[in-house]
Amino acid sequence: MGLPEDGYSSSAWETTDNSDINSSSYPAYGRSTQPHPPVLDISRDDPSMPPIPPKPSSPPPRSSSDSASRWHDNISVTVEHRDTILSSIPNDSASLVETTFDENVLRALCELDCGVPLLLDRIKQSMVSCREASAFLKKRAVLEEEYGKSMQKLSRTSADVYSMNDGKAGTFVKAWHTGMRIHEAMAENRLRFSQRLNEMSEELASLAKEVDKNRKQTKELASRYERALQDSELVTEKSKNRLDISSEELERVLLQKEGESFKDSAVQGRSQGANKRVLGKAVAKGGLLLKGKNPGNIQRQEDDVRARLSSASDAYRKAVTDTQATRQEYFNFQLPRILRSLKECADEIDLGTQYHLTRYAFLFESILLSDGSTLIPPTDEDGPGLKATIESIDNRSDFKTYMQNYAYARGSAPPRGPRRDGPAEEGFLPPLPPHGDRVHSSTQANAGAPNTSNSQTLDRGKPTFGVDLAVQMARDNAELPLIMEKCCQAIEKYGMRSQGIYRINGTSRKVAQLKEKLDKDLDSVNLDADEWSTEINNVTSAIKSWFRELPDPVLTLALHQGFIDAAKIENDRLRHIRLHERVNDLPDANYATLKYFLGHLHRISQFEAENSMSLQNLAIVFGPTLFGQMAPSTGANGQAHGGMADAAHQNKAIQTILEHYADIFVEEPEA
C-alpha cells in the first residue's frame, strides 16, 4: 500500500442519492438486525453537518441485485500513490506485511461500544512509534555523515601530507596511497547510506503528519455523527413527554364531562405511577373544573385537547421514525465506514513504519557487505584489498633501491665519517684476514699441538677473561673471540648429545684449572684431550664464566633497557621485529659474537630429544649471562629495573632471538 498524497479518500465515504441508499442492504455490522426505514441524509437535514467527502469521480448507479455485495466488493480505499523510494523495494518485499483487509476485525470493532476511541488511541500509538523511528533514522544519518566526512577528510589529508613529506618511497608509498583510496571509497559508501537514512526519516515524518491530519478529520466527523444521533434521541424524548401531557389532559376532561370527581377516579391510581409528575403539571396548569361548568366550554376544551393530542402523536411518531432511521444509518452504514477508515489509517502507518525499518535493516546489511567487499574484493579484477595492499610492501627491495640511490647521489661528496684505511704510522690497523682462513689455520694449529694439560703453562701475556670483546678481537686480529670459537667447537664435537649440556655445571677445581690455562696460553690448550673431552661440562662452565666476566656484556649495558622493552611486547611478530632492531644496533664485535654463539646454541637445540635442552631451557641458562648483571634501580614510574626484576624478560628476549635466528642473522642469497 503506497503512501497517500492528499489523505484517505474511501469509497465508503461517498454520498449517493436517497434511492440508492434506501435500496441498499448491508451485512449486519451494526447492533440492530430489524429492517430499517428510509435512511435520512443528515448533511441535508442539518446545515451545520459537513457533507461526506465524495470520491473524485462518482461510481455508476447500482441496482438492487448487486447492492448486497457492494459492501465487500467496493470496500477498498482509493488513494493516490506517491512516487517515492517505495518503488525501489525488492521483489520479495510484498510479503513484508499482509495487505488484505480483515473483515472479521471490522465486524468485531462494530460490535464494540469503544470501537472509535480504540482505533483513535491505536493510531496515536502508531504515530508515536513512527516519529520515534524517524528520529532514530535522523540521528543515525547524522552519525554516518560525520563518520563518512571525517574518514574522507582523513584519507585525503593523509595522502596529501605524505606526498609533501620526506617519507619512504617505492612499494610503501604505492601501498599507502592505495590504502587511502580504499578508505575514501568506504567513506563515500557511508555518505550515501546517510543520504538514504535522511530520505527515510523525512518520509516517516511526512507519513506521521499526514496520518495525524486524517485522524483528526475522521475523529471530528465521527463526533458529529454521534451528536446528530444524540440530538435525534433527545427530540424523541421531548415528543414523548408532550404526548404524555396531552393524554393526561384529555383523560381529565373526559372525567369531568362524565361528572366524576377527579379524586375518586382511576386517574388518581395511575397518577401514582410513572406519570405522576406529568399529571401534576397538567392539573396545575389547567386546574380542576367544577361540575357546574358550562357543557359547551367543556366540549370546546375537549376538542382543543384532542387536537393537541393528535399533533403530539404525529410529532412523536415522526421523531421515532427519524431516530430509527438515524440510528440505522449510523450503526449499519456510517459507523462501519468510520471504523474502516480509521483501521485503514492505522494499517497505513504501521505498514509504512515497518517497511522503512525493514529497508533500514537491508541498507545496513548492504553497507557492511560493501565495506567487506572493499576491504577484501571477491575477485582479482576488483583490485587488491587493504590487507593484500599492506602485504605488498617489500622493505628489502625498497632499502636496496634507497641504498643504491643514496650511494649514487653522495658518491662524489667527501666522506664525513671515520676513514676506513690509512697509513700504519697514523694508527690504522691492517685489514683482518677472512674468517674461514683464520679458523682453518687455528684448527691445524690445535691439531698439531702437544698435550700439555698436565705440563706447566707459560703465560703468553694475552689474557682472555675479563677483557673487553673489541679489545680481544683487535689484539688477536680475529673476527671472533678465540676462546669462544675454541670452546664451542669442542662442545659441538663431544657434548651435543650430553644430557643437560650447559645446564649442568662442571667440577669447580677443574673449571678453575681450565680457566687458568686458557687465560695464560689459549693456543696451547688442547680440548680434544681426554681430560676435557670426557668431562665436557667443565668446558661449558668455563665459557659461561668467560661471558659473565666480560666488562661490558655481549648485549651491552647501553642497549640493555632497549632489549628489555622489546621483550615486554605481547605481540609475537612485533616483539621479533623490535628485538631484530636492537640486535642490529649492537657494535660489530658484539654482533659477530652473538651471531656465532646463538648459532651454536641453535644447533644444540636440534638435539633436544637427547640432551633435553630446548630453546626455552637454553634461554633460561644464557639470559642473565648474555645480558650481564645490572645494579637494581627504580625508574621514574616506580618500576624496578635490573637484577632479578628483568630476569623473565631477559630469558624471553634470548628465546625469541633463538626462535627467529634464521630471520635475524642468516641473510637470504640474492637471486
Side-chain angles (χ1 to χ4, degrees):
M1 183 181 295
L3 298 180
E5 184 70 33
D6 296 320
Y8 298 85
S9 58
S10 173
S11 61
W13 290 97
E14 63 180 347
T15 302
T16 57
D17 56 359
N18 288 338
S19 61
D20 185 27
I21 297 177
N22 297 340
S23 62
S24 301
S25 60
Y26 300 98
Y29 286 137
R31 299 179 182 83
S32 177
T33 58
Q34 62 184 357
H36 57 80
V39 181
L40 300 178
D41 191 347
I42 300 177
S43 62
R44 292 199 302 269
D45 294 342
D46 188 0
S48 63
M49 292 293 293
I52 300 175
K55 287 180 59 176
S57 60
S58 300
R62 58 178 170 20
S63 62
S64 300
S65 60
D66 63 349
S67 61
S69 61
R70 180 180 183 275
W71 181 262
H72 295 285
D73 298 336
N74 195 19
I75 202 168
S76 61
V77 177
T78 304
V79 295
E80 297 181 6
H81 293 277
R82 181 182 301 166
D83 186 12
T84 62
I85 197 64
L86 294 176
S87 59
S88 62
I89 193 169
N91 294 332
D92 59 347
S93 62
S95 62
L96 288 177
V97 181
E98 183 65 34
T99 57
T100 58
F101 193 86
D102 192 351
E103 299 293 338
N104 295 326
V105 174
L106 182 61
R107 289 189 176 91
L109 289 172
C110 290
E111 294 297 332
L112 293 176
D113 293 332
C114 58
V116 173
L118 181 149
L119 287 174
L120 291 175
D121 291 342
R122 180 61 177 177
I123 294 174
K124 186 182 294 185
Q125 291 180 350
S126 298
M127 287 191 300
V128 172
S129 301
C130 182
R131 291 192 178 103
E132 287 297 324
S134 175
F136 167 77
L137 295 178
K138 189 71 175 178
K139 294 177 181 178
R140 181 65 194 275
V142 172
L143 293 178
E144 292 294 338
E145 184 178 7
E146 292 178 354
Y147 175 76
K149 289 183 178 179
S150 299
M151 180 180 288
Q152 191 178 56
K153 181 179 179 181
L154 175 63
S155 58
R156 292 177 178 176
T157 304
S158 299
D160 295 340
V161 170
Y162 191 89
S163 300
M164 294 184 293
N165 291 336
D166 189 15
K168 293 196 300 183
T171 59
F172 183 87
V173 67
K174 180 180 178 181
W176 179 264
H177 286 290
T178 302
M180 294 302 103
R181 285 194 295 269
I182 291 175
H183 283 78
E184 188 172 354
M186 295 171 61
E188 292 175 355
N189 290 338
R190 293 297 177 137
L191 291 176
R192 286 193 294 268
F193 182 45
S194 173
Q195 184 179 1
R196 296 287 185 87
L197 292 180
N198 274 322
E199 293 174 358
M200 290 191 291
S201 175
E202 293 174 358
E203 290 174 5
L204 283 177
S206 176
L207 174 62
K209 183 178 179 180
E210 188 69 24
V211 169
D212 187 28
K213 174 183 175 183
N214 288 292
R215 174 184 174 275
K216 291 179 180 178
Q217 292 178 352
T218 308
K219 179 181 178 181
E220 178 65 22
L221 189 59
S223 299
R224 292 190 179 186
Y225 279 121
E226 291 177 359
R227 286 196 301 269
L229 179 58
Q230 293 173 358
D231 294 343
S232 179
E233 292 175 347
L234 182 60
V235 170
T236 303
E237 182 67 21
K238 291 180 179 180
S239 299
K240 184 177 181 300
N241 291 336
R242 286 194 296 269
L243 179 62
D244 291 341
I245 293 174
S246 299
S247 298
E248 294 299 334
E249 288 183 359
L250 178 61
E251 189 171 359
R252 179 176 54 79
V253 171
L254 293 177
L255 289 175
Q256 183 177 353
K257 182 179 180 181
E258 294 176 1
E260 297 180 2
S261 174
F262 177 72
K263 293 182 180 180
D264 297 334
S265 66
V267 177
Q268 183 177 2
R270 290 197 298 271
S271 65
Q272 301 293 334
N275 297 327
K276 182 177 181 180
R277 181 178 57 83
V278 178
L279 181 59
K281 290 183 179 180
V283 172
K285 185 176 181 181
L288 293 175
L289 299 177
L290 300 178
K291 289 184 178 181
K293 197 165 185 176
N294 189 349
N297 293 335
I298 295 176
Q299 185 62 39
R300 285 194 299 273
Q301 186 177 7
E302 179 184 356
D303 294 340
D304 182 59
V305 171
R306 287 185 182 278
R308 290 201 308 270
L309 179 62
S310 177
S311 176
S313 177
D314 293 341
Y316 177 65
R317 186 180 298 106
K318 182 178 184 303
V320 170
T321 303
D322 292 345
T323 301
Q324 288 180 349
T326 302
R327 184 178 294 107
Q328 290 291 337
E329 180 185 20
Y330 177 74
F331 286 108
N332 289 352
F333 184 66
Q334 304 296 352
L335 181 62
R337 291 194 309 177
I338 293 173
L339 293 176
R340 172 177 290 275
S341 179
L342 291 176
K343 184 62 173 64
E344 290 175 344
C345 186
D347 292 343
E348 183 74 15
I349 190 170
D350 291 341
L351 174 62
T353 304
Q354 183 178 0
Y355 165 74
H356 283 291
L357 290 178
T358 304
R359 185 163 178 257
Y360 160 72
F362 172 76
L363 291 176
F364 194 17
E365 294 175 0
S366 300
I367 195 66
L368 293 180
L369 292 175
S370 177
D371 288 346
S373 300
T374 303
L375 293 173
I376 308 177
T379 60
D380 296 337
E381 298 178 356
D382 299 330
L386 183 60
K387 182 181 178 182
T389 300
I390 301 301
E391 291 177 348
S392 65
I393 299 175
D394 189 352
N395 290 315
R396 185 184 297 272
S397 175
D398 290 348
F399 181 77
K400 289 181 179 179
T401 303
Y402 172 76
M403 185 172 60
Q404 293 174 358
N405 295 336
Y406 191 92
Y408 177 80
R410 307 210 176 188
S412 59
R416 293 182 295 177
R419 290 184 295 170
R420 182 183 301 272
D421 300 323
E425 57 270 14
E426 294 183 8
F428 286 92
L429 296 177
L432 297 177
H435 175 63
D437 297 343
R438 199 211 61 74
V439 172
H440 179 69
S441 61
S442 175
T443 304
Q444 290 180 347
N446 290 336
N451 186 1
T452 59
S453 60
N454 295 326
S455 60
Q456 186 67 28
T457 303
L458 298 177
D459 191 351
R460 299 287 298 273
K462 293 183 179 181
T464 302
F465 288 85
V467 181
D468 186 77
L469 273 177
V471 174
Q472 291 186 50
M473 296 168 66
R475 180 196 64 194
D476 298 335
N477 194 21
E479 294 182 355
L480 292 170
L482 300 181
I483 183 174
M484 181 188 68
E485 194 173 13
K486 188 181 188 75
C487 292
C488 289
Q489 290 176 356
I491 293 169
E492 292 184 11
K493 188 174 182 180
Y494 300 107
M496 295 293 282
R497 294 175 173 81
S498 177
Q499 183 71 21
I501 188 69
Y502 280 117
R503 188 178 69 240
I504 301 176
N505 294 325
T507 307
S508 301
R509 184 179 62 83
K510 286 286 188 181
V511 172
Q513 182 181 356
L514 179 59
K515 287 176 57 179
E516 181 182 2
K517 292 178 177 294
L518 292 172
D519 202 36
K520 289 183 177 181
D521 190 0
L522 178 65
D523 295 335
S524 64
V525 179
N526 183 15
L527 296 180
D528 293 325
D530 293 341
E531 180 182 8
W532 311 116
S533 62
T534 56
E535 297 181 8
I536 199 64
N537 290 331
N538 294 327
V539 181
T540 60
S541 297
I543 191 61
K544 288 193 295 182
S545 179
W546 176 78
F547 276 115
R548 286 194 293 267
E549 294 179 14
L550 288 173
D552 192 20
V554 175
L555 298 181
T556 72
L557 298 177
L559 296 176
H560 181 277
Q561 192 58 41
F563 278 102
I564 295 301
D565 293 339
K568 292 179 180 179
I569 298 175
E570 296 293 336
N571 184 274
D572 294 338
R573 177 61 180 168
L574 185 58
R575 183 173 64 252
H576 163 211
I577 294 173
R578 293 294 177 262
L579 288 173
H580 192 172
E581 293 174 350
R582 300 291 80 77
V583 169
N584 290 339
D585 293 338
L586 289 171
D588 293 343
N590 298 63
Y591 181 88
T593 302
L594 183 67
K595 177 181 179 181
Y596 181 88
F597 187 71
L598 291 188
H600 164 70
L601 296 182
H602 195 271
R603 289 188 290 273
I604 288 179
S605 67
Q606 296 176 357
F607 293 86
E608 176 187 354
E610 300 176 61
N611 57 33
S612 301
M613 293 302 292
S614 62
L615 293 179
Q616 183 179 7
N617 293 337
L618 292 170
I620 293 174
V621 173
F622 284 98
T625 301
L626 297 178
F627 272 95
Q629 296 298 326
M630 288 187 64
S633 61
T634 303
N637 55 359
Q639 295 182 352
H641 299 290
M644 295 302 296
D646 293 336
H649 302 303
Q650 293 173 355
N651 300 341
K652 189 65 175 178
I654 298 302
Q655 181 180 349
T656 303
I657 297 174
L658 285 172
E659 290 173 349
H660 301 280
Y661 177 81
D663 295 333
I664 296 176
F665 293 106
V666 179
E667 297 183 358
E668 297 179 0
E670 303 225 355

